[in-house]
Amino acid sequence: PNFTLDNHDSTSDSTSTCTKEVDVKGALKKAVGFYEMLQTEDGHWAGDYGGPHFLMPGLIITWYIMDCSDQLLAPWQRQAMAHYLVVHQQADGGWGSHIES
């Protein structure tokens, strides 16, 4: 379960080799633990870019071009989207890509 990584410094003229022992099972357990920590309760991994400020413009443009707003979004959904945009509008009149921005 242990292996050796040899790192060669290509920026120097010396031929020195740095050897480091790595515990593969330990590294894998840490990696799995990290992704378990990020996993949401329903089992998916939420992305950073998935916020409404990032995705909503594409939805609105598609919705407008297709000219079938009632088929894609119910009136209450459109009203909720409009409310969301109004309450998250920044002082300068714009929106960031994320709620935090």
Side-chain angles (χ1 to χ4, degrees), residues 15-72:
T15 57
S16 64
T17 302
C18 175
T19 304
K20 182 177 182 181
E21 293 291 323
V22 177
D23 176 15
V24 175
K25 284 185 180 179
L28 290 173
K29 285 181 183 181
K30 284 177 75 174
V32 169
F34 175 76
Y35 284 104
E36 284 177 341
M37 177 186 68
L38 295 177
Q39 194 171 20
T40 63
E41 194 172 299
D42 68 358
H44 82 282
W45 288 272
D48 229 9
Y49 67 93
H53 292 165
F54 180 78
L55 298 174
M56 196 178 297
L59 174 63
I60 292 171
I61 291 166
T62 303
W63 178 41
Y64 179 79
I65 290 171
M66 291 177 67
D67 195 28
C68 55
S69 59
D70 291 333
Q71 295 169 350
L72 293 177

